[in-house]
């Protein structure tokens, strides 16, 4: 995975080709559907892209830095609410709000996470849940953001296409399509940023901390700092996603913004698609979300209505993989072909070297 | 002021119940350093078990703790042998993830079978006495909660004796202390771990059965108790049974007192906050190890 | 001349056990110092204290004159001390090249520059051609070399080797000894080696320090230490003395 030396040649070109094809499909996908009068599929596409984007974000702290994090939805809420507050009180559009939301989320994340980096693996994971649980009553009772009554996006018809994109106010039959493309653009940007990070010093250091934290310290890596940096990148992506979500949903409620599923789906997508691999989350999202949609439409009115079944299936997937092939949670067999694309290192067995015992 | 002392007394009683809830985790976590995100789900199963047995078979939850305890013991052992044993030697991430999968499966199976509706246990020994109170030193003590607390305390003490005074308990401690040395003296670690999981699941389910008399029963009730249990175990020093008891009492009191001054939604926030603080400033817990 | 590394009465306790007691020693730049002693003598604890993974309960540790007694491991690495581990540890899920790149990134922010240095160090340590192998799949001897290459990539001035020869075949050991000599001769590093293999430590070291039950019981040129009564009694056994 070394920046320039490894991964060129026919593997690299095949990869570029697949990428190009996927990009064309992604851009062209909704057009025939739009012409055909549908909006549902564009919405599904939007959800796929949003969750794929969040998955890429989660992958930074979870896959690369190896810290199980059940709490990034807090930063999604931060992003969503910040953008709405900025719009409502300052009259500034969502893209400005996104910048503000990302900045605030990153600062908050750094402040809250740095002390927690003293905690290891399990303890850290629980701590992320604890923070989320503290955020819930705050979200529900904080008057400034209207508590559980929620904040609504002030509707203002846009003056033309450019203004619509600037204010993320789309209406009518074009709405799902427009949000699809906005999500696609944000997703592409997120992947690009992740790609740059992966090949940078950050990417190397994250994975070193994951593989052997003590050993990493011994070669000069401040593991606490890098865990914070990793989580902050995840927070930034989640904040951006939160803004997108807010303007798509037209309202933000603390319960929805802080929903655990914002962690669960991206996490599952990442596992199914291949943890640690740049395209893993996207692949996983493309697989899981349509399945989940199909399940809810077919079971929608029956006795098994509700999200329950999705999660039962996810649970079974995880448990079966863990029981049959524990390292599979780190990389699933059918991502072997994805490995040929992404020059990321293969990841089939844990390090196996002794843990540090003082 | 009187309100404060009242809250303390209530908190102490809840604390005994929390101790029972947390001690199973003390054994699993303290002994095997295995995280279990699904700990609260066992509690939920205990609660649902008690509710179901109470509504369909008219079996009082306090009596149901026997069959429930046994059933959950079996489940705990099964989960260890089929799942946790295989991820035990791997990396922490996979271990954590495996129990998260367990959480998804158990919680949502409950949703599928029972729906997310809140259920309540009625017409049991403790709920029939729900208005009965004791007056002591100017404080009002609800009898049902007192009985629940005493029952929890008795079970807790039995467990303590098991761990501290029996040969089996010593074997358990030995395994946690030094797995290889334990093997050298003929202890089979796998068996110890299986029993630890069985015990852990049984204890928290029994706590759930008792708690069902006081709390609403619904599938999502588990996660907050999971975090609560972790906070208690962390405060109590990761593996110290006595520490768990003291920490649980403290948590019960903190929770109870918090509600006087803050909206009820924040009831647990302080406890979770203290988990974070402990992690930062005193990772060995308030009471140290064993 | 000031010592590169100096320990002043360093003491480390674990509960009731005193792992290091009043250990004083100095290592001058350019030396190879051997650190020997029976198992449990406190050698690895000493390494842990020097490299910041533990801190002495009493006494001081000075590196290049600066007090590093309470400094953490990553800072100590930046100051110029690198180590390998008694039980080898590599970044198992990363490739050989990536492992060393991580080390090299301690001195540069540019990945391409780090890669270039990493390549040179892989060649130096005899791992050339194995760049794309996953570290977890290497043989023990190669893992140890990788650990060394990675440590060297941080451009240390002092390298601590903790039982680098253990578990190696005679041929692998000879290669490792040669590597240590080249690290000292060509790269100009100061070394402190913990070893149990006497045939390795004695010829390599300029000086030997002997620990027993946490206390320094002897220090000096290998030839002198070998004849020291205390050392023989504690560690080497009558047998070695008779062999001379």
């Amino acid at each position: 995975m070394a920046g320039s030396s490894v991964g060129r040649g026919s593997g690299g070109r095949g990869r570029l080709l697949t990428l190009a094809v996927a990009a064309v499909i992604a851009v062209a996908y909704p057009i025939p559907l739009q012409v055909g009068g549908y909006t549902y599929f564009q919405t599904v596409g939007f959800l796929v892209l949003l969750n794929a984007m969040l998955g890429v974000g989660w992958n930074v702290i979870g896959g690369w830095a190896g810290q199980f994090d059940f709490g990034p939805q807090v930063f999604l809420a931060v992003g969503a609410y910040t953008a709405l507050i900025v719009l409502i009180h300052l009259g500034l559009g969502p893209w400005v709000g996104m910048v503000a939301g990302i900045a605030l989320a990153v600062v908050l994340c750094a402040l809250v996470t740095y002390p927690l980096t003293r905690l290891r693996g399990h303890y850290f994971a629980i701590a992320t849940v604890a923070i989320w649980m503290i955020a819930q009553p705050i979200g529900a009772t904080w008057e400034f953001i209207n508590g559980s009554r929620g904040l609504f996006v002030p509707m203002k018809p846009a003056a033309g296409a450019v203004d619509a994109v600037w204010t993320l106010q789309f209406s009518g039959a074009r709405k799902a399509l427009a949000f699809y493309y906005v999500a696609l653009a944000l997703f592409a940007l997120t992947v690009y940023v992740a790609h740059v990070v992966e090949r940078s010093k950050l990417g190397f250091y994250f994975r070193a901390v994951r593989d052997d934290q003590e050993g990493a310290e011994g070669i000069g890596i401040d593991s606490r700092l890098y865990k914070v940096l990793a989580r902050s990148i995840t927070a930034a992506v989640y904040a951006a996603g939160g803004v997108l979500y807010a303007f798509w949903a037209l309202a933000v409620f603390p319960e929805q913004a802080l929903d655990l599923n914002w962690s669960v789906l991206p996490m599952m997508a990442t596992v199914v698609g291949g943890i640690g691999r740049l395209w893993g989350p996207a692949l996983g999202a493309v697989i899981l979300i349509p399945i989940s949609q199909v399940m809810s439409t077919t079971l929608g009115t029956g006795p098994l209505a509700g999200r329950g079944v999705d999660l039962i299936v996810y649970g079974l997937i995880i448990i079966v993989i863990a029981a049959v092939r524990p390292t599979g949670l780190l990389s699933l067999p059918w991502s072997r072909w994805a490995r040929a694309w992404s020059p990321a290192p293969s990841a089939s067995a844990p390090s196996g070297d002794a843990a540090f015992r003082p | 002021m009187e309100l404060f002392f009242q809250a303390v007394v209530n908190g102490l009683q809840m604390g005994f119940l929390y101790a029972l809830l947390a001690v199973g985790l003390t054994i699993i976590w303290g002994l095997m350093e295995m995280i279990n995100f699904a700990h609260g789900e066992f509690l939920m199963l205990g609660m649902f078990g008690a509710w179901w047995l109470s509504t369909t078979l008219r079996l009082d939850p306090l009596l149901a703790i026997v069959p429930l305890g046994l059933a959950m013991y079996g489940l705990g052992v099964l989960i260890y042998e089929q799942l946790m044993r295989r991820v035990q030697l791997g990396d922490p991430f996979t271990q954590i993830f495996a129990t998260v999968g367990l959480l998804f499966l158990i919680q949502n199976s409950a949703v599928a079978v029972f729906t997310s509706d809140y259920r309540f246990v009625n017409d049991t020994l403790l709920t029939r006495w729900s208005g009965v109170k004791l007056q002591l030193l100017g404080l009002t003590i609800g009898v049902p909660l007192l009985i629940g607390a005493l029952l929890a305390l008795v079970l807790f003490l039995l467990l303590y004796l098991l761990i501290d005074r029996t040969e089996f308990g010593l074997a358990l401690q030995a395994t946690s202390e030094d797995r290889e040395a334990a093997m050298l003296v003929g202890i089979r670690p796998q068996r110890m771990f299986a029993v630890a999981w069985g015990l852990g699941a049984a204890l928290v389910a029994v706590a759930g059965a008792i708690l069902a008399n006081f709390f609403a029963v619904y599938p999502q009730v588990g996660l907050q108790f999971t975090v609560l249990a972790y906070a208690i175990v962390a405060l109590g020093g990761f593996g110290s049974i006595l520490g768990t008891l003291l920490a649980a009492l403290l948590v019960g009191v903190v929770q109870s007192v918090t509600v006087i001054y803050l909206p009820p939604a924040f009831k647990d926030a302080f406890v979770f906050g203290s988990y974070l603080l402990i992690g930062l400033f005193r990772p060995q817990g308030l009471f140290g190890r064993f | 001349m000031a010592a590169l590394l100096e320990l002043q009465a360093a003491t480390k306790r674990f509960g009731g056990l005193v792992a290091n007691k009043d250990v004083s020693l100095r290592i001058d730049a350019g030396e190879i110092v051997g650190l020997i002693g029976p198992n449990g003598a406190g050698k690895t604890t000493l390494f842990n204290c020097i490299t910041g993974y533990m801190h002495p309960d009493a006494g001081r540790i000075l590196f290049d004159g600066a007090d590093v007694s309470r400094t953490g491991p990553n800072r100590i690495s930046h100051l110029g001390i690198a180590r390998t581990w008694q039980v080898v540890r590599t970044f198992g899920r990363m490739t050989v090249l990536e492992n060393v790149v991580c080390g090299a990134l301690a001195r540069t922010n540019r990945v391409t520059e780090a890669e270039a240095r990493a390549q040179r160090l892989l060649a130096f340590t005899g791992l050339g051609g194995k760049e794309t192998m996953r570290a977890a799949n290497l043989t023990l001897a190669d893992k140890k070399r990788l650990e060394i290459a990675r440590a060297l990539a941080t451009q240390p001035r002092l390298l601590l080797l903790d039982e680098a020869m253990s578990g190696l075949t005679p041929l692998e050991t000879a290669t490792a000894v040669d590597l240590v000599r080249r690290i000292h001769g060509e790269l100009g590093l100061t070394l402190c080696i913990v070893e149990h293999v006497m045939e390795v430590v004695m010829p390599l070291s300029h000086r030997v320090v002997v620990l027993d039950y946490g206390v320094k019981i002897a220090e000096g040129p290998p030839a002198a230490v070998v004849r020291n009564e205390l050392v023989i009694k504690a560690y080497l056994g009558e047998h070695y003395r008779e062999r001379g």
Side-chain angles (χ1 to χ4, degrees):
Chain A
M1 199 250 87
S4 45
S5 45
V6 184
R8 289 290 187 216
S10 64
R13 283 185 61 189
R15 184 172 161 260
L16 237 51
L17 186 63
T18 330
L19 217 66
V21 169
V24 167
I25 294 178
V27 170
Y29 157 81
I31 297 176
L33 297 160
Q34 186 74 7
V35 168
Y38 298 100
T39 55
Y40 171 71
F41 296 98
Q42 291 86 316
T43 301
V44 173
F46 168 80
L47 289 172
V48 168
L49 287 167
L50 178 58
N51 279 286
M53 173 182 161
L54 294 178
V56 171
W58 189 84
N59 207 12
V60 177
I61 183 72
W64 293 348
Q67 311 298 313
F68 196 92
D69 190 342
F70 230 157
Q73 58 272 18
V74 171
F75 306 112
L76 185 137
V78 168
Y81 275 113
T82 305
L84 281 187
I85 297 285
V86 161
L87 177 62
I88 293 173
H89 293 258
L90 299 177
L92 296 171
W95 296 104
V96 176
M98 188 178 286
V99 171
I102 291 176
L104 190 58
V106 167
V107 167
L108 227 59
C109 176
L111 284 175
V112 154
T113 307
Y114 186 74
L116 298 180
T117 50
R118 276 185 70 179
L119 303 172
R120 295 306 193 78
H122 330 249
Y123 316 136
F124 180 85
I126 290 284
T128 62
V129 179
I131 292 175
W132 170 64
M133 287 191 155
I134 294 175
Q136 286 171 317
I138 294 176
T141 57
W142 195 10
E143 274 313 308
F144 181 55
I145 57 171
N146 234 9
S148 25
R149 295 191 303 280
L151 271 185
F152 289 78
V153 175
M155 299 274 278
K156 208 183 89 148
V162 173
D163 190 50
V165 173
W166 176 249
T167 58
L168 284 185
Q169 304 265 5
F170 304 106
S171 57
R174 295 253 176 84
K175 180 175 177 226
L177 183 73
F179 270 106
Y180 175 88
Y181 282 117
V182 173
L184 183 60
L186 269 177
F187 169 73
L189 181 62
T190 306
V191 168
Y192 175 71
V193 169
H195 174 79
V196 167
V197 167
E198 189 181 31
R199 290 160 181 271
S200 73
K201 182 169 175 172
L202 282 175
F204 277 94
Y205 273 13
F206 291 160
R207 286 181 293 139
V209 169
R210 173 197 68 189
D211 282 1
D212 179 10
Q213 186 172 327
E214 256 97 22
E217 287 274 340
I219 56 169
I221 299 174
D222 183 345
S223 59
R224 296 186 67 182
L225 172 66
Y226 283 90
K227 285 184 192 177
V228 170
L229 287 174
R231 198 168 192 237
S232 300
I233 295 175
T234 303
V237 171
Y238 263 74
V243 176
L244 187 60
Y245 163 73
F247 281 83
W248 173 80
L250 295 174
V252 181
F253 298 92
E255 232 180 76
Q256 276 79 321
L258 289 171
D259 195 332
L260 193 62
N261 282 302
W262 290 121
S263 277
V264 171
L265 263 170
M267 192 188 296
M268 283 306 302
T270 310
V271 164
V272 166
I275 278 196
R277 219 161 306 302
L278 191 63
W279 292 103
L283 184 62
V286 164
I287 296 174
L288 285 181
I289 290 182
I291 292 179
S292 143
Q293 287 292 316
V294 166
M295 278 205 286
S296 64
T297 32
T298 50
L299 302 169
T301 49
L304 291 177
R307 317 201 62 131
V309 182
D310 296 33
L311 288 162
I312 292 179
V313 173
Y314 295 162
L316 281 171
I317 291 176
I318 294 174
I319 289 174
V320 167
I321 295 176
V324 167
R325 193 188 135 117
T327 56
L329 287 177
L330 301 174
S331 105
L332 283 174
W334 61 75
S335 346
R336 205 169 285 148
W337 56 281
R339 215 175 285 158
W341 300 2
S342 173
S346 55
S348 33
S351 149
D353 296 318
F356 175 67
R357 285 206 186 279
Chain B
M1 210 47 207
E2 199 182 285
L3 202 60
F4 180 82
F5 284 119
Q6 186 67 58
V8 169
V9 165
N10 291 341
L12 284 173
Q13 292 174 288
M14 278 309 296
F16 284 113
L17 286 168
Y18 287 159
L20 198 63
L21 148 73
V23 78
L25 196 64
T26 304
I27 295 174
I28 296 176
W29 196 6
L31 262 183
M32 301 188 296
E33 305 203 330
M34 288 185 93
I35 188 144
N36 183 12
F37 258 93
H39 187 72
E41 309 316 305
F42 296 145
L43 178 96
M44 183 270 292
L45 286 177
M47 290 177 92
F48 263 105
W51 169 80
W52 188 80
L53 287 172
S54 161
T55 42
T56 50
L57 296 179
R58 312 289 328 267
L59 184 64
D60 194 283
L62 296 188
L63 295 175
I65 65 179
V66 174
L68 279 175
L70 288 171
M72 291 302 294
Y73 178 89
L75 183 64
V77 169
L78 183 74
I79 288 176
Y80 174 75
E81 291 189 336
Q82 295 309 315
L83 178 64
M84 296 318 297
R85 183 171 51 97
R86 297 163 206 243
V87 298
Q88 200 176 358
L89 298 170
D91 61 297
F93 189 92
T94 304
Q95 285 181 38
I96 295 172
F97 220 144
T99 62
V100 167
L102 216 50
L103 182 152
F104 291 165
L105 180 64
I106 298 178
Q107 190 176 112
N108 291 281
S109 300
V111 172
V113 172
F114 295 110
T115 81
S116 294
D117 289 345
Y118 281 35
R119 305 294 214 283
F120 295 91
V121 151
N122 298 312
D123 205 27
T124 67
L125 181 72
L126 294 186
T127 51
R128 262 184 259 129
W129 287 5
S130 67
V132 181
K133 300 186 204 307
L134 225 59
Q135 291 291 347
L136 200 62
L137 303 173
L139 296 170
T140 313
I141 302 179
V143 166
L145 190 57
L146 183 64
I147 295 179
L150 288 174
L151 181 58
L153 180 61
V154 165
L155 291 169
F156 190 93
L157 287 176
L158 283 175
L159 177 78
Y160 178 75
L161 289 174
L162 177 72
I163 299 288
D164 207 60
R165 301 288 157 87
T166 66
E167 204 173 286
F168 166 76
L170 285 176
L172 217 54
Q173 289 186 52
T175 312
S176 104
E177 195 85 27
D178 187 336
R179 195 179 305 186
E180 267 133 30
M183 280 164 66
L184 285 175
V185 297
I187 297 171
R188 294 212 306 280
Q190 306 288 31
R191 205 170 88 84
M192 291 295 121
F193 294 149
V195 171
W197 269 83
L199 264 181
L203 286 165
V204 69
V206 164
I210 304 177
L211 278 172
N213 285 294
F214 308 107
F215 282 98
V217 178
Y218 58 101
Q220 291 82 2
V221 76
L223 192 57
Q224 82 224 29
F225 282 110
T226 299
V227 184
L228 200 69
Y230 274 95
I232 292 172
V233 173
L235 281 166
F238 299 117
S240 161
I241 296 200
L242 233 40
T244 301
L245 177 62
L246 293 170
L249 292 174
L250 183 63
V251 161
V253 169
V254 167
Q255 229 192 16
S256 217
V257 168
T258 307
V259 172
I260 304 181
Y261 304 109
L262 289 176
F266 284 90
K267 174 168 70 98
D268 295 323
F270 251 69
V271 178
F272 300 150
S274 50
Y275 171 82
L276 299 176
L277 289 174
I278 289 288
L280 306 179
F281 299 114
R282 215 187 139 85
Q284 71 270 36
L286 288 173
F287 306 108
R289 259 200 102 94
F290 273 120
Chain C
M1 189 180 71
L4 183 61
L5 179 75
E6 190 176 342
L7 271 67
Q8 297 173 345
T11 303
K12 181 67 189 166
R13 283 178 222 103
F14 296 113
L17 172 70
V18 184
N20 295 137
K21 189 168 151 74
D22 284 331
V23 176
S24 295
L25 65 87
R26 60 179 280 156
I27 300 180
D28 291 317
E31 283 194 292
I32 298 182
V33 173
L35 183 61
I36 68 173
N39 275 321
K43 310 185 291 294
T44 298
T45 305
L46 209 63
F47 267 18
N48 287 336
C49 285
I50 295 171
T51 50
Y53 287 92
M54 295 174 183
H55 302 300
D57 296 311
R60 297 206 299 164
I61 302 178
L62 302 165
F63 183 68
D64 215 11
D67 190 332
V68 296
S69 314
R70 307 217 71 81
T71 311
N74 65 76
R75 181 96 199 94
I76 289 202
S77 168
H78 281 286
L79 289 173
I81 304 181
R83 71 171 294 174
T84 63
W85 300 82
Q86 192 172 9
V87 183
V88 70
R89 34 199 327 161
T90 58
F91 300 133
R93 287 165 68 180
M94 295 167 82
T95 66
V96 164
L97 182 66
E98 288 167 336
N99 268 263
V100 186
V101 167
C102 284
L105 285 170
R107 299 294 175 195
T108 174
N109 286 327
R110 293 177 40 228
V111 172
T112 40
E113 194 178 314
E115 273 175 15
R117 289 211 53 240
Q119 292 279 18
R120 288 198 296 273
L121 280 166
L122 286 177
F124 181 82
T125 51
L127 287 168
K130 299 186 178 155
E131 291 91 349
T132 55
M133 280 184 69
R134 271 188 60 244
N137 295 338
L138 293 176
T139 62
L140 179 66
D142 278 347
K143 277 184 184 167
K144 289 190 173 234
R145 279 195 282 183
L146 179 58
E147 236 193 337
I148 291 175
R150 190 180 67 184
L152 291 175
T154 64
Q155 292 182 300
R157 285 186 294 154
L158 173 64
L159 178 62
L160 306 175
L161 296 175
D162 199 347
E163 296 195 34
M165 315 291 170
S166 75
L168 299 184
T169 67
L171 184 59
E172 289 166 343
T173 305
T175 317
V177 168
D178 179 65
L179 177 59
V180 171
R181 286 224 163 85
R182 283 188 296 127
I183 292 174
H184 178 253
E186 290 173 42
L187 299 180
L189 260 60
T190 308
L191 286 133
C192 181
I193 338 182
V194 163
E195 254 325 314
H196 282 298
V197 184
M198 289 303 121
E199 288 77 15
V200 162
V201 167
M202 297 311 184
L204 267 180
S205 314
H206 300 131
R207 264 194 310 133
V208 172
V209 172
V210 188
L211 290 184
D212 188 26
Y213 286 111
V215 174
K216 183 173 82 171
I217 61 172
E219 180 176 7
V225 161
V226 153
R227 283 196 281 278
N228 182 307
E229 286 294 331
L230 287 171
V231 173
I232 292 167
K233 209 160 44 162
Y235 187 32
L236 294 172
E238 298 291 305
H239 207 67
Y240 196 89
R241 180 191 37 194
E242 273 149 31
R243 284 165 55 201

